[in-house]
Amino acid sequence: MDTGTTSNDHGRATGTFRVKRGLADMLRGGVIMDVVNAEQAKIAEDAGAVSVMALERVPADIRRDGGVARMSDPELIEGIQAAVTIPVMAKARIGHFAEAQVLQALDVDYIDESEVLTPADEANHIDKWAFDIPFVCGATNLGEALRRISEGAAMIRSKGEAGTGNIVEAVRHLRSILGDIRKIGVADEPELYAWAKELRAPVELVREIAETGTLPVPLFCAGGIATPADASLVLQLGAEAVFVGSGIFKSEEPAKMAAAIVEATSNYTDAGLVAKVSRGLGDAMPGQEMGQLDQRLADRGW
Amino acid sequence: MRVGILALQGDVREHAAAIHRLGAEPVEIRTPDAIDHLDALVLPGGESTTISLLLDRSGLRARLAAWVSAGRPTLGTCAGLVLLADEVLDGRPDQRSIGGLPIAVRRNGFGRQRYSFEAEVQSSDGGEPFEAVFIRAPRIERVLDGTTVLAELVIDGSPEPVVVESGHCIGCSFHPELAGDDRLHRRLLELAETTTAV
């Protein structure tokens, strides 16, 4: 794979693809939690989050309030960076490379080019190779995932449907991505070209999947995780870590819910432990059926 | 030979692959009982605050501390190095390491992710340099007596330790497992063989 833009400082190469995907590898088996202020970031860190995602409103509120959702206020991001020692991620609008430049100037640890915010460009995603900071992007299927990787994304998260507390879309997207990876694993050489055409993705990346049997970057899951059992479900399906947005701070007891989802993620195959940590958590966030939604955030991006 | 890999969180798979390549059996460790009947232990990379919290909740901390203080062979990379350091700087106030290596490390000592880097690291035995990947890496700031430096990174002309060994503990601030370099895992298995022989 292309190593992208790198800077070299006395024999030290920063911003290489290995360094970018390396942080994603370190987050595997962990929970990344959406937070809107330093206080929530502390609660997340105390509960065992591997990272926090700074944003101005959690997806459930963005969905309720409507309007244009943008990158967070830098002051808020800096407040969160000062409050915790774990990595801090932040969201930029799809195609809004100037927001991403600001986030890089703030030294955030990962940038999420996110469909949860209002897209800034209807045709182009950000050229992520142009940055030293790694990017995570959402995907609903394997073609979308590979297009984001070809643009330089070092981590993919299945999109799910953010802010709904409903896991059904996350499951659909994960099964689609992982199912196609399994099918490519048994394809012969001529079929790889057909796959590349069907997925609208570079044949080199399709061939890499055929050879390795996995996505070239870690695959995490987002959008709709509201309980410890939800986390266990998506990890058993093949996600390597989870993003929890509204599911923590829209639940009745955020600190307890956060700690329970962390433990369930670490021990996702141990049903006895998932049962134990699921007891007495209070109400999970209120959920929504897909049919009730005015807008699907997962449709943003292509 | 059975080699436990602490599997609460982090890059467990790459360490398991290294152990497997060397002909030993990797065993994922998530509960205190799982530590029985192991020949060696690996503490992987990951988020040290998260792993530390999960050590407490799982009841693993006391078992790990007993393992290390009994002089059993242990390799820690990155977050694993932080867990093995006797002194941790810039950690959370309530963060406790297991200890075992008489060194002081500073968490995220090279800065945030933007300053994470790859570099060639010289091996003290004169062997091939390591293609070292440093991810928000801890920085070894002090090395006390009785610690052997196995590899150094040269920064602005001055060398600083990045791989150290003391007793039966090996600590490494970068990720040899991400570069598929098995030398430290091989060293761990050598330590395990001598321990078994005793």
Side-chain angles (χ1 to χ4, degrees), chain A residues 34 53-59 61-63 66-73 77 90-96 99-100 103 111-121 125-126 157 159 162 295-302:
Chain A
D34 278 3
M53 173 75 71
L55 70 175
E56 59 173 4
R57 287 171 288 169
V58 294
D61 290 338
I62 291 173
R63 191 175 281 291
V68 173
R70 311 181 180 92
M71 173 187 78
S72 295
D73 183 335
I77 294 171
K91 287 184 193 287
R93 284 178 264 179
I94 290 174
H96 205 316
E99 281 189 348
L103 293 176
I111 297 172
D112 184 359
E113 185 182 18
S114 178
E115 71 283 0
V116 168
L117 305 186
T118 311
D121 189 322
H125 282 253
I126 296 170
R157 54 175 174 75
K159 281 180 179 172
Q295 185 180 30
R296 295 232 180 174
L297 301 178
D299 292 342
R300 295 167 166 178
W302 41 90

Side-chain angles (χ1 to χ4, degrees), chain A residues 115 131 147 156 167 253 290:
Chain A
E115 71 283 0
F131 290 78
R147 287 191 291 280
I156 294 294
I167 198 69
E253 298 199 52
M290 291 307 120

Side-chain angles (χ1 to χ4, degrees), chain A:
Chain A
M1 169 158 302
D2 186 352
T3 53
T5 312
T6 60
S7 322
N8 205 309
D9 168 29
H10 306 293
R12 280 184 283 164
T14 56
T16 66
F17 196 74
R18 197 147 68 166
V19 162
K20 288 175 173 178
R21 92 153 265 176
L23 181 55
D25 284 318
M26 293 314 131
L27 301 176
R28 289 188 344 233
V31 183
I32 301 142
M33 301 183 192
D34 278 3
V35 298
V36 301
N37 56 43
E39 212 170 276
Q40 290 187 353
K42 283 299 291 175
I43 292 171
E45 186 181 55
D46 288 346
V50 287
S51 174
V52 290
M53 173 75 71
L55 70 175
E56 59 173 4
R57 287 171 288 169
V58 294
D61 290 338
I62 291 173
R63 191 175 281 291
R64 188 198 60 207
D65 299 346
V68 173
R70 311 181 180 92
M71 173 187 78
S72 295
D73 183 335
E75 200 174 324
L76 187 130
I77 294 171
E78 285 167 344
I80 290 169
Q81 286 172 319
V84 296
T85 67
I86 56 179
V88 176
M89 305 189 183
K91 287 184 193 287
R93 284 178 264 179
I94 290 174
H96 205 316
F97 55 84
E99 281 189 348
Q101 288 163 353
V102 170
L103 293 176
Q104 174 155 286
L106 293 171
D107 282 353
V108 304
D109 293 291
Y110 239 94
I111 297 172
D112 184 359
E113 185 182 18
S114 178
E115 71 283 0
V116 168
L117 305 186
T118 311
D121 189 322
E122 294 182 326
N124 306 288
H125 282 253
I126 296 170
D127 170 16
K128 292 164 274 287
W129 296 114
F131 290 78
D132 276 351
I133 304 272
F135 277 74
V136 50
C137 289
T140 59
N141 57 54
L142 184 58
E144 203 176 349
L146 294 182
R147 287 191 291 280
R148 296 296 83 76
I149 293 167
S150 71
E151 295 156 3
M155 180 204 299
I156 294 294
R157 54 175 174 75
S158 55
K159 281 180 179 172
E161 191 56 36
T164 62
N166 189 336
I167 198 69
V168 66
E169 293 299 299
V171 169
R172 183 203 314 281
H173 300 156
L174 269 181
R175 281 202 181 275
S176 171
I177 293 168
L178 292 163
D180 279 352
I181 288 173
R182 284 189 284 267
K183 287 178 205 156
I184 289 172
V186 295
D188 67 9
E189 185 67 21
E191 288 171 334
L192 295 182
Y193 292 96
W195 269 106
K197 191 175 164 201
E198 187 186 323
L199 294 173
R200 291 185 291 128
V203 71
E204 295 76 19
L205 289 178
V206 173
R207 188 172 290 116
E208 194 176 334
I209 288 174
E211 283 162 8
T212 63
T214 64
L215 210 59
V217 302
L219 174 63
F220 291 6
C221 177
I225 295 163
T227 67
D230 285 346
S232 170
L233 173 68
V234 298
L235 287 152
Q236 290 189 62
L237 286 173
E240 298 179 280
V242 295
F243 284 84
V244 185
S246 321
I248 308 270
F249 290 99
K250 288 291 171 186
S251 72
E252 195 179 343
E253 298 199 52
K256 275 169 103 174
M257 182 63 82
I261 293 178
V262 167
E263 280 200 69
T265 299
S266 179
N267 299 277
Y268 66 94
T269 55
D270 183 345
L273 191 132
V274 176
K276 188 178 129 204
V277 301
S278 299
R279 290 198 185 96
L281 293 178
D283 289 336
M285 69 175 285
Q288 281 183 293
E289 284 251 33
M290 291 307 120
Q292 300 168 344
L293 302 181
D294 297 333
Q295 185 180 30
R296 295 232 180 174
L297 301 178
D299 292 342
R300 295 167 166 178
W302 41 90

Side-chain angles (χ1 to χ4, degrees), chain B residues 19-44:
Chain B
I19 295 300
H20 187 75
R21 279 194 295 270
L22 295 171
E25 181 194 352
V27 183
E28 293 192 2
I29 306 294
R30 291 190 177 81
T31 57
D33 297 346
I35 290 192
D36 296 337
H37 313 300
L38 294 179
D39 298 297
L41 186 63
V42 176
L43 309 179

